[in-house]
Amino acid sequence: MKKWTKWVMLLMASVMLTACSTDENAPKIAPGANQEENKDSSKTEESDLAGTDTQMATLNVDLYNTNSKIVGTAILDEGEKGLSLTLNLEKVNSGQLRVQFHDNGSATPPSFEDAGEEISLADTPEIEVSENGVVDQTFVLENVSILPKEEGTLATENGTSIIIHSKTGDTASDNRIIGGVIFPPQ
């Protein structure tokens, strides 16, 4: 029995040490977000743009409604022509929505007010949601990046979030209805 107890204690200590270790080079991404490296071998050559990574990055960000329920994802994919934003949403009220990036890496339902102010780096899309409440659209955004060393990066010290506003008239109202954290504060 004593040998078994020692092995369990040793195993627990090992797991705790592994969990506590940090990798200084690891990117800091939102809880629940997935980061993948593009495994395409054709991307291994040095990029023509100064300061860009040789392999492009992808982030999957969970999007929550005002009731703290996941209603979809935003997929941010760094590419040569800009940042691709794919929105996959379900159970969203029909009408017009406006996608915006905000300057704080928080997005707490129901108001999402902790997301801060809008970042006006990119011309973000307006979305028309049909009666079925489903959105599956992809947009390419210029002047914005998820790579930390690029101009217009969303990987800032304060972090960033994506907020979807309901749109009334010609402007997006401050009715924040969906949000997710792209990068938490560092």
Side-chain angles (χ1 to χ4, degrees), residues 92-95 129-134:
V92 178
N93 290 337
S94 63
V129 182
S130 63
E131 289 183 22
N132 68 3
V134 174

Side-chain angles (χ1 to χ4, degrees), residues 43-121:
K43 303 279 188 209
T44 58
E45 293 180 14
E46 204 51 47
S47 172
D48 292 338
L49 300 173
T52 59
D53 291 346
T54 56
Q55 293 185 341
M56 302 303 175
T58 300
L59 292 176
N60 295 326
V61 179
D62 291 332
L63 297 175
Y64 295 84
N65 66 12
T66 57
N67 297 321
S68 301
K69 305 256 190 241
I70 293 179
V71 292
T73 58
I75 302 167
L76 300 161
D77 187 15
E78 193 70 45
E80 291 179 18
K81 295 182 181 179
L83 184 67
S84 172
L85 168 63
T86 301
L87 291 174
N88 296 307
L89 303 170
E90 294 181 351
K91 300 179 184 175
V92 178
N93 290 337
S94 63
Q96 285 192 320
L97 304 176
R98 177 84 175 163
V99 178
Q100 296 178 343
F101 297 113
H102 286 251
D103 65 357
N104 195 14
S106 297
T108 307
S111 67
F112 306 105
E113 290 297 322
D114 57 350
E117 298 297 318
E118 176 188 4
I119 301 171
S120 52
L121 295 172

